[in-house]
């Protein structure tokens, strides 16, 4: 635009002098420019406003020019102007609002009514005359001052013009949009109507024909007869008509043609004559008299040039079935030996012999294949006989199975068979004791008078047995084997005195055995008991130390040592163990025991137990583990008397010594003895591991300090708990792992650990010389009180009182 | 003729001129023309009230200068 203006200004005064072509050029340029400007962004921008003023200037200039040719251009310009939209009415920043014009355009595009603008009414009438007026004015080439007001006026006019122009152009009503719902409704209705129509039609059709249940108008026989008559008549009529037609045809010579046609058809027909000579696969007997059987051609290959064969599929099936039946008969289900199956008759009435393998005979290809090499019966039989003889089997011919009448009972002959070869069954026969028998016996043995009964065998079952042996006749027959002695059969008890008779009964044997066993057991127990008795004796002896006959003081190292401890009261001339009471063997035993060096033995309270102990022991094994009776709650303590080593061990177990003190100067002291050039090579690294590292310059010196070559420190890693308690490396690692993984042990485990720790604490604080319940101390106290070395555990208090010694 | 402001709250704010007897569907078309989206993708709401397409603007008692919320579906 500036170019234009510059040109114009250049020729300001002489605008009229600008040639037509120049002006035309200007116009063209302006038009093009305006076209480009047509985009919204340009139109609505500030640029446009500036341009607008320029435009006005140009137009004004042109208007001023007043030339004829210019008029054309001016007209052009005005037209252009009319196309130029008005600048935005609302000078607002947003570019998202359309003017009414634009909106209306949009609405037109979318098919909507234009906007109803209330204030548009007055301006409607005005624009048309104004436009004219405007044009006339220009045409007339009047002087129009192009001051601001005029320009504004012109602009307004143009605007309204545009609006009305559009309104006029669009002064039609759009067709209302298709209402889809209405359309759907109407369609549905149409469908319904169509359906109804169809239904009506069908119903009408149905109504024409009569239903089955409908009552006939002609229920009477007469009506029916009439109907039949009519039907016949109609037939006759039809025939007549046909005849007539034929006559007509024959008149016209058409009949012959028709006949020939028929004949042709006849000839084409396939009748019985064509079937003469065809084979039928079934036998004559299959087709029963009077029945018609439909036969079809049997399937055959396409290239098969054999004659056709007629078959009936049903008959084929029947034949197959019969064949199968026969085959099945050959393999019978074995329901038991059925004699009558074996006998089969041929068609002629002869016995059919099949042989053993008859059931495997197959019909292959129409021929019967028999599964035997040698078909001659004689040869076969001979073979079989030989076999049997060789195998030492009893030959039994099948023919020998004679038939006989079945019966439910065994014949006496068969009973004989059942007799078993005599199994000598020694059966104790408890015979009924009768007086006669007794007499009999007595009479046998010695001739005593009847009334007197010998003491030997009265009532004795043994004798009875003996007596019973010769009496074989009383032995049961095989038939009467099962006679049992019944209580009822026993006679009443004999009146004589039976008390001093020793009854020996076989049945008592078991009882006697049991008694023996019990006696033995009792003896064993008694054997055990005397120990206690001895114990008491010993104790008594112990209580009376004055009984020591020797008068010598026997010193035992352990006893002395323990005395120094103060536990054992010094009793002069006392021998704690009461040597004089013991055997020489026992002394040896004891010494050995002492050498074992158990502290427990020495103490007063314990030596009771120990006496029991050494009484039991055999002198052989010192290192034998403790008996159940010894059963000290504490473990075996190391022998203090062995030497310093023993003492040390004791001290360690007790905890008198610190365990840490052991490890003082461990590895460093022996370093001079260790291998000088020994190194452990790690062969597990990758080949390029160290070569690829680029921190060669980043990391510090890898070689050790040469001046510190002789520095070989001895270090000790101590780990402590969170609570400050020292813990082992294993524990420390465990804690570290917990921290690393972020999760520790579960509740149960933690509780267990805690319990263990507590137990260990308790163990540390435990009394090493006594049981946890201080039983030993209590025992000692009790002993002090009662002034007795023993403690009665059970029984009433008075019993103890009797045993206590008098105070002295 | 009303002028309704439709605000997207994401940067799109349009002022649309329309008739009171226009339906919401027509309004949506106008909005679509101005914003460049598709008319059937526009949802006009006012707090949880969704304006339905077949109802007129005046029936919703939408007056001149009112703001509507512009959503998309």
């Amino acid at each position: 635009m500036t170019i234009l203006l510059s040109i114009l200004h250049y020729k300001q005064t002489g605008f009229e002098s600008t040639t037509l072509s120049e002006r035309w050029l200007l116009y063209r340029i302006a038009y093009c420019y305006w076209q480009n400007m047509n985009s919204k962004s340009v139109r609505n921008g500030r640029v446009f406003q500036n341009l607008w003023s320029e435009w006005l200037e140009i137009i004004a200039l042109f208007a001023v020019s007043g030339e004829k040719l210019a008029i054309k251009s001016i007209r052009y310009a005005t037209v252009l102007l009319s196309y130029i939209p008005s600048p935005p009415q609302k000078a607002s920043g947003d570019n998202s609002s359309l003017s009414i014009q634009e909106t209306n355009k949009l609405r037109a595009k979318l098919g909507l009514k234009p906007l109803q603008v209330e204030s548009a009414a007055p301006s409607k009438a005005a624009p048309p005359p104004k436009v004219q007026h405007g044009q006339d004015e220009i045409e007339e080439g009047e002087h129009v001052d192009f001051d601001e007001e005029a320009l504004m006026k012109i602009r307004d006019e143009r605007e309204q013009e545009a609006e009305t122009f559009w309104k006029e152009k669009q002064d039609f009503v759009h067709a209302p949009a298709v209402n889809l719902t209405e359309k759907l409704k109407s369609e549905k209705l149409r469908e319904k109507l169509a359906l109804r129509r169809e239904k009506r039609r069908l119903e009408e059709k149905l109504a024409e024909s009569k239903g089955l249940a409908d009552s006939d108008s002609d229920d009477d026989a007469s009506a029916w007869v009439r109907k039949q008559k009519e039907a016949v008549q109609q037939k006759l009529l039809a025939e007549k008509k046909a005849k007539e037609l034929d006559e007509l045809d024959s008149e016209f010579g058409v009949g012959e043609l028709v006949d020939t046609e028929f004949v042709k058809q006849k000839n084409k027909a396939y009748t019985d004559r064509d079937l003469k000579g065809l084979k039928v696969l079934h036998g004559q007997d299959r087709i029963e008299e009077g029945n018609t059987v439909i036969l079809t051609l049997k399937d055959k290959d396409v290239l098969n040039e054999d004659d056709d064969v007629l078959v009936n599929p049903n008959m084929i099936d029947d034949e197959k079935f019969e064949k199968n039946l026969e085959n099945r008969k050959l393999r019978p289900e074995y329901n038991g030996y059925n004699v009558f199956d074996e006998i089969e008759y041929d068609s002629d009435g002869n016995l059919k012999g099949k042989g053993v393998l008859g059931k495997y005979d197959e019909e292959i290809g129409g021929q019967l294949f028999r599964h035997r090499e040698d078909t001659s019966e004689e040869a076969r039989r001979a073979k079989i006989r030989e076999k049997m003889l060789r195998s030492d089997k009893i030959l039994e011919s099948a023919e020998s199975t004679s038939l006989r009448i079945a019966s439910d009972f065994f014949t006496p002959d068969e009973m004989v068979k059942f007799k078993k070869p005599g199994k000598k069954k020694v059966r104790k026969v408890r015979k009924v004791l009768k007086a006669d028998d007794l007499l009999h016996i007595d009479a046998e043995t010695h001739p005593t008078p009847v009334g007197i009964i010998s003491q030997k065998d009265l009532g004795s079952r043994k004798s009875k047995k003996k007596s019973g042996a010769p009496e074989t006749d009383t032995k049961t027959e095989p038939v009467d084997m099962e006679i049992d002695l019944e209580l009822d059969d026993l006679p009443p008890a004999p009146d004589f005195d039976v008390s001093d008779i020793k009854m020996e009964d076989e049945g008592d044997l078991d009882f006697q055995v049991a008694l023996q066993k019990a006696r033995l057991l009792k003896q064993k127990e008694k054997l055990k008991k005397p120990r206690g008795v001895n114990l008491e004796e010993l104790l008594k002896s112990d209580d009376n130390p004055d009984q020591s006959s020797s008068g010598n003081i026997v010193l035992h190292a352990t006893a002395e040592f323990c005395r120094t401890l103060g536990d054992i009261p010094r009793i002069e001339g006392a021998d704690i163990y009461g040597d004089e009471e013991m055997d020489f063997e026992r002394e040896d035993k004891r010494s050995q025991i002492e050498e074992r060096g158990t502290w427990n033995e020495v103490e007063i309270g314990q030596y009771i137990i120990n006496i029991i102990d050494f009484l039991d022991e055999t002198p052989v094994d010192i290192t034998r583990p403790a008996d159940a009776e010894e059963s000290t709650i504490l473990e075996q303590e190391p022998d203090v008397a062995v030497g310093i080593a023993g003492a040390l061990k004791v001290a360690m177990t007790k905890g008198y010594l610190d365990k840490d003190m052991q490890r003082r100067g461990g590895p460093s002291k022996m370093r001079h003895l260790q291998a000088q050039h020994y190194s452990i090579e790690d062969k597990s690294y990758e080949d390029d591991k160290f070569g690829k590292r680029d921190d060669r310059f980043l990391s510090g010196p890898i070689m050790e300090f040469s001046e510190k070559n002789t520095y070989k420190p001895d270090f000790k890693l101590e780990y402590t708990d969170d609570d400050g308690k020292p813990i082992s490396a294993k524990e420390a690692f465990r804690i570290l792992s917990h921290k690393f993984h972020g999760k520790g042990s579960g509740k149960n485990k933690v509780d267990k650990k805690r319990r263990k720790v507590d137990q260990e604490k308790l163990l540390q604080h435990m009394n090493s010389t006594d049981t946890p319940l201080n039983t030993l101390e209590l025992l000692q106290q009790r002993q002090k009180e009662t002034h007795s070395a023993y403690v009665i555990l059970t029984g009433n208090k008075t019993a103890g009182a009797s045993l206590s010694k008098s105070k002295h | 003729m009303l002028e309704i402001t439709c605000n997207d709250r994401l940067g799109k704010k349009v002022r649309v001129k329309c008739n009171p007897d226009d339906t919401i569907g027509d309004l949506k078309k106008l909005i679509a023309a101005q914003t460049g989206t598709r008319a059937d993708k526009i949802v006009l709401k006012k707090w949880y009230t969704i304006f339905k397409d077949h109802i007129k603007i005046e029936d919703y008692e939408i007056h001149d200068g009112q703001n509507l919320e512009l959503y998309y579906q």
Side-chain angles (χ1 to χ4, degrees), chain A residues 524-557:
Chain A
K524 275 185 190 169
E525 284 173 8
K526 276 179 191 166
L527 282 166
K528 281 188 186 173
K529 275 189 184 172
R531 266 196 287 122
V533 177
N534 296 344
L535 194 90
E536 284 194 340
E537 289 174 339
L538 275 167
L539 283 170
K540 278 186 191 159
S541 65
D542 285 337
D543 287 338
N544 310 329
D546 299 327
Q547 284 178 15
S548 58
S549 54
S550 62
N552 304 327
I553 296 168
V554 183
L555 291 172
H556 300 284

Side-chain angles (χ1 to χ4, degrees), chain A residues 188-199:
Chain A
K188 272 193 189 164
L189 212 71
R190 237 176 278 140
E191 274 177 37
K192 271 191 194 168
L193 287 168
L195 269 170
R196 269 266 93 214
R197 223 177 293 135
E198 275 291 318
K199 264 192 185 171

Side-chain angles (χ1 to χ4, degrees), chain A residues 94 96 98 107 113 116, chain B residues 13 15 17 19 22 34:
Chain A
D94 69 329
S96 55
L98 303 171
R107 289 176 77 99
K113 282 194 303 187
Q116 294 162 5
Chain B
K13 189 172 175 183
R15 275 188 282 121
K17 291 187 181 57
N19 289 331
D22 283 343
Q34 274 195 269

Side-chain angles (χ1 to χ4, degrees), chain A residues 496-608:
Chain A
F496 40 82
D497 194 10
V498 199
S499 56
D500 46 358
I501 297 165
K502 191 177 171 192
M503 297 285 278
E504 259 191 66
D505 203 1
E506 280 173 0
D508 287 338
L509 247 173
D510 289 331
F511 179 54
Q512 288 294 331
V513 168
L515 278 174
Q516 268 286 357
K517 275 187 188 168
R519 265 182 238 129
L520 282 166
L521 273 168
K522 277 188 192 166
Q523 278 171 11
K524 275 185 190 169
E525 284 173 8
K526 276 179 191 166
L527 282 166
K528 281 188 186 173
K529 275 189 184 172
R531 266 196 287 122
V533 177
N534 296 344
L535 194 90
E536 284 194 340
E537 289 174 339
L538 275 167
L539 283 170
K540 278 186 191 159
S541 65
D542 285 337
D543 287 338
N544 310 329
D546 299 327
Q547 284 178 15
S548 58
S549 54
S550 62
N552 304 327
I553 296 168
V554 183
L555 291 172
H556 300 284
T558 341
E560 291 298 311
F561 179 48
C562 292
R563 201 173 290 124
T564 54
L565 294 173
D567 278 348
I568 303 166
R570 196 188 283 266
I571 305 163
E572 218 157 354
D575 194 8
I576 299 153
Y577 293 100
D579 275 334
E580 67 282 357
E581 298 292 324
M582 322 243 173
D583 296 336
F584 190 68
E585 290 169 8
R586 283 186 188 166
E587 209 175 355
D588 286 341
K589 271 194 218 167
R590 214 178 3 101
S591 61
Q592 281 175 356
I593 292 157
E594 279 175 14
E595 275 168 20
R596 261 184 30 209
T598 55
W599 285 54
N600 301 335
E601 284 177 7
V602 174
E603 290 171 355
I604 295 168
Q606 283 288 332
Y607 69 69
I608 299 161

Side-chain angles (χ1 to χ4, degrees), chain A residues 237-256:
Chain A
L237 272 170
E239 279 176 19
K240 270 187 197 167
K241 278 199 177 159
K243 270 187 196 165
E244 282 168 15
L245 283 169
D246 279 338
E247 280 165 15
L248 283 170
D249 284 339
S250 61
E251 278 175 21
F252 291 120
V254 184
E256 280 179 9

Side-chain angles (χ1 to χ4, degrees), chain B residues 38-53:
Chain B
R38 284 187 14 187
D40 48 0
K41 295 281 184 191
I42 290 170
V43 177
L44 290 169
K45 275 196 202 180
K46 199 150 179 74
W47 190 237
Y48 288 115
T49 317
I50 299 174
F51 293 128
K52 300 211 175 136
D53 288 0

